[in-house]
Amino acid sequence: MEIKQTAVAGSLESSDIMITVSPATDGITIDLESSVEKQFGHRIRQVIEETLDHLKVNNIAVQAIDKGALDCTIQARLIAAVHRAAQVEEYNWKEIDSWKL
């Protein structure tokens, strides 16, 4: 999937995550700011990387500001931001539902 513009999903509320994605030309970069980064930073990055792999996104800059979001919330926010950035208007929810993270 090609990222065409910058897009945002999520909020800075407790138990949520705000994800901003932008086009990039040098692979995947993840800038993570989290109140629980010491405990869960590795897992948050892993969820982001696996979700991008499922979406077949290769060149993207991801900025994530986490406030204690669960894996399913991280995945949902990232999917929404990527689809907005790629200007996708139709979703294959059955495919997304079958992903195992």
Side-chain angles (χ1 to χ4, degrees):
M1 190 176 305
E2 180 186 351
I3 303 302
K4 299 176 183 176
Q5 63 187 21
T6 299
V8 179
S11 73
L12 296 176
E13 297 295 320
S14 181
S15 301
D16 202 356
I17 186 168
M18 180 182 286
I19 294 185
T20 305
V21 297
S22 303
T25 57
D26 56 345
I28 296 171
T29 60
I30 301 171
D31 178 22
L32 174 63
E33 178 184 321
S34 175
S35 57
V36 293
E37 188 165 2
K38 282 188 175 185
Q39 298 93 336
F40 301 108
H42 174 74
R43 178 62 184 159
I44 295 167
R45 285 183 176 83
Q46 182 182 13
V47 170
I48 292 171
E49 290 169 358
E50 289 177 4
T51 303
L52 292 173
D53 184 51
H54 283 295
L55 292 170
K56 297 176 178 53
V57 177
N58 299 315
N59 293 305
I60 189 171
V62 178
Q63 179 187 23
I65 303 172
D66 174 59
K67 298 294 182 180
L70 298 174
D71 290 0
C72 58
T73 304
I74 297 166
Q75 185 182 39
R77 299 302 191 211
L78 183 57
I79 290 168
V82 166
H83 280 91
R84 289 173 183 166
Q87 299 175 338
V88 173
E89 294 184 15
E90 293 186 26
Y91 308 98
N92 183 351
W93 293 114
K94 289 182 182 179
E95 177 184 326
I96 291 171
D97 192 42
S98 70
W99 296 350
K100 303 277 192 259
L101 290 184

